[in-house]
Amino acid sequence: MDNGASSYCRFLKGEKDAIVEIVSEYNNGLVLFLNSITGDICLSEELAEDIFCELLLTKPKYNESIPNSV
């Protein structure tokens, strides 16, 4: 398991299906994590959506040689 690294690298290269994989894989966990901080599931869902939108807009770099650099 590469913790989404291959999907993210494909996303950076322009493969549109890769972001769908990322959202499908990480949305629930992100919402639950945010809910543990906010205590508000609706707010957590909105924040997760904002985070994925930010990812789409900014496309932060990823260095494959450094684990967990995303």
Side-chain angles (χ1 to χ4, degrees):
M1 177 181 239
D2 67 356
N3 294 322
S6 62
S7 295
Y8 192 71
C9 288
R10 289 187 6 258
F11 161 69
L12 290 176
K13 292 176 184 175
E15 290 186 37
K16 294 177 183 174
D17 289 343
I19 192 65
V20 174
E21 290 175 17
I22 293 167
V23 172
S24 295
E25 181 72 25
Y26 294 100
N27 186 60
N28 290 342
L30 180 58
V31 169
L32 291 174
F33 172 72
L34 293 169
N35 188 53
S36 73
I37 296 169
T38 66
D40 183 333
I41 194 70
C42 292
L43 176 60
S44 299
E45 290 170 344
E46 289 178 28
L47 290 170
E49 185 177 315
D50 289 347
I51 290 167
F52 287 119
C53 286
E54 185 70 18
L55 181 69
L56 279 166
L57 294 173
T58 62
K59 292 186 176 184
K61 301 275 189 257
Y62 176 73
N63 185 342
E64 294 181 66
S65 65
I66 302 172
N68 300 318
S69 65
V70 173

